[in-house]
Structures are given as C-alpha cells and as structure tokens.
Amino acid sequence: MKSEFIGKTQSGIETYALENDNGMRAEIITYGARISRLFVPNKRGELIDVVAGFDTPDEYRDDHGTYFNAIIGRVGNRIGGSGFTLDKKEYKLYANDGANHLHGGKEGFDKKIWTAETGERASLMLSYLSADGEEGYPANLSVRVTYSLTNDNELKIAYDAQSDGTTLCSLTNHAYFNLDGDFKSALNHEIYIKSHAITAVDEELIPHGEILDIENTAFDFSVSKPLGRDINAEEKLLKIARGGYDFNYILDGDNSGAAASAYSKNSGIKMSVYTDRPCMQFYSGNFLDGFTGKKQYPYQSAFCMETQGYPNACNVKEFPSISLKAGEKYHTVTTYKFEICKE
Ligand code: BGC
C-alpha cells in the first residue's frame, strides 16, 4: 500500500495517488480535495475508472457547475433564502442558486486549494482553514479530510472540523459514479437505499420541513431496483428535479449494514456506502448536459450518493441541528466499498 505525490501544475494544484495491494488506486487533487480518478477492478479483472472528471487538474476550475467529486462545505446542499439565524443573530450567505445558497456558495471548499500531507499506508490528509465571514458564515473553521484506501477495496473519507465560535458545518463528497466506467447511462444501475422517507422540497428544491413516507412509491429504493425503473413516474417532485432523483433520503439509521449500494451487471462492480450521517442525497445527474471531460457526460450518465446532515436544517427547527460550537469536534466517516458480485 502506498500514498505518493504525483506532481504539481503551474497554477499550484497538486496530485497525489493512493494504492492498495489489489491495485485499486485513487488520485486526489488539492483543488477542492477532489477524487480525480478512482480505478477499481471489474469482473474481468480490468481496472476501470468509476468517477467522472477531467483529464487535467486545471480543467476542474470550470466544472460546469457539477462539483465533480469535490469536498463540499461549509454546508452541503441548499440553504433556502441564503440566510439563517444562529444564537439570535442573522447571517446572509452568498446566493449562487437563484435566491438560494448551494454547496458552500460562490467559492465553496470545492474551489479552494487544500494543503495535502501523505499519511501512513494508503492515506492522504487535506486541510483547509475557512476564515470567519467566508461566504457569510461566522467563525473560523479548520477542516481536515482524510482519504484512505484499505485492502478490502474501501475508500474511506474521514471529515474532521473545529471552529472558534458557533457556526454551521455539514460536509460531504460530491463524487459522480458510473460503475461501468463508460458514463453512457446510470439508469441501468441497481440502487438500494436504506430509507423509507425523504425530505419534501419546494419548486426550488428547498426542504421545508415536511417528511414524505416513500414506501412503495417511485422514490423507494429500500428493495433494490434499477435506477431508471420508475424515473419517469408521474410524480411532481421528479419533474421539479429535472426528470430524476435529487432528494435527501433520511436513512433508517440503525447503523447496521450499508446505508446504500449500487450495482452494475455489466462490470459486476457493487459499491456499498457506509456512513454515520443521518441522511444521503441521491442525485441522478439531472443537470449533466453532455459536455466532455475524461468522457462525455450526458444527462443521467452518473449518480451521486452524498452523505450529509439534514439539508436546510438551519431554517427548519424540526430538523436535527447542523451547528458546531466553539471547540466542539466534528468527526464523521463515510466509506465506499467496492466488490465484484458474480451472478
Ligand atoms: C444537488 C443538485 C445540484 C448538484 C450540482 C447536487 O448535490 O442536489 O441539485 O444540481 O448537486 O451539480
């Protein structure tokens, strides 16, 4: 197992590689602490790259609003009206999604150059200090993300953060997966999500507090089914989300087994997601429009499983809080495990 420095662009973006003993390999760039490549073995024993992205690090600076495989912060997902009240003080955030704040604002963590340090075995620590007032958020927030590969073909992401005053913190990774590696369509993937409820959204995809029971509906993946099976169902929310899934699933939360999984028969690759987070955004790439990076990325050619706190929790008092107090330790771990399933 190893972690190594690969190179640095003139503009200052570094690339690192992590490798386990089975040849599984992750490449990470310091721009947005993004996973630029993730090679996993398919059923034919070939290593295929299962994340979307670009050929060179600098191209991520214009990622067509995708947030390809980046660390998202301070707060993943949307904050309605781009504002919130904390300790009786009102804060105004940068509005980068109509009137709303999405994925950290104008220049979220996905657009920052992080400081990297290789760790033991196949691991890499990336840190970033977000200054008091950045994008409108209060307090200094120091963040550390550790990526590691294990010999069980897991990519582990540990998120640590600490602030010097009360602020909000809800970090995630925005990886776009296609387990065939060809990014033609994600609709053939078998999806499982251990959840029976989603947070309902308004026309601007903002959760407002209502929780929808999804049992036996088009949104239900608690018994695995192909991503595309019910995607065209007559459901208002599917239409609002540009004809697909873009919803926050409230995980059953019994901490046993995977929170979610995806499987493709073509490659035989199954990916399972383990997390200590209460929720996961399941997004079926409805904003992809066919632009070209490493591959071409048509509409719904990839999916994201973004583990997270409750979205818009800072404005919905019924949702568990995503605030972090001075000195409190934010620590969460999400693991993506890859294996071959033979039929
Ligand atoms: C959101 C989508 C958004 C996408 C950015 C996802 O996490 O849920 O609505 O368009 O990120 O490309």
Side-chain angles (χ1 to χ4, degrees), residues 65-67 78 102-103 174 176 205 246 281 283 287 306:
T66 57
Y67 302 83
R78 291 177 172 81
L102 172 67
H103 292 334
H174 208 305
Y176 283 66
L205 292 172
D246 192 356
Q281 186 82 7
Y283 171 55
F287 286 92
E306 304 154 61

Side-chain angles (χ1 to χ4, degrees), residues 301-342:
S301 56
F303 64 90
C304 303
M305 291 182 158
E306 304 154 61
T307 57
Q308 60 187 358
Y310 279 68
N312 201 29
C314 50
N315 291 313
V316 180
K317 62 175 187 323
E318 294 80 17
F319 289 172
S321 163
I322 53 162
S323 64
L324 184 70
K325 293 200 175 68
E328 232 171 49
K329 284 194 167 69
Y330 177 97
H331 174 76
T332 87
V333 181
T334 292
T335 299
Y336 299 87
K337 182 181 167 108
F338 296 87
E339 55 204 321
I340 306 291
C341 283
K342 297 229 166 71

Side-chain angles (χ1 to χ4, degrees), residues 22 26 38-39 52 86-87 105 114 117 131 147 152 176 199 203 223-224 251 264 289-290 319 323 328 341:
N22 312 321
L38 184 62
F39 291 101
L86 200 58
D87 293 345
W114 294 58
E117 197 190 326
Y147 285 104
D152 291 327
Y176 283 66
T199 47
E203 303 273 338
V223 176
S224 79
L251 300 171
S264 164
D289 64 2
F319 289 172
S323 64
E328 232 171 49
C341 283

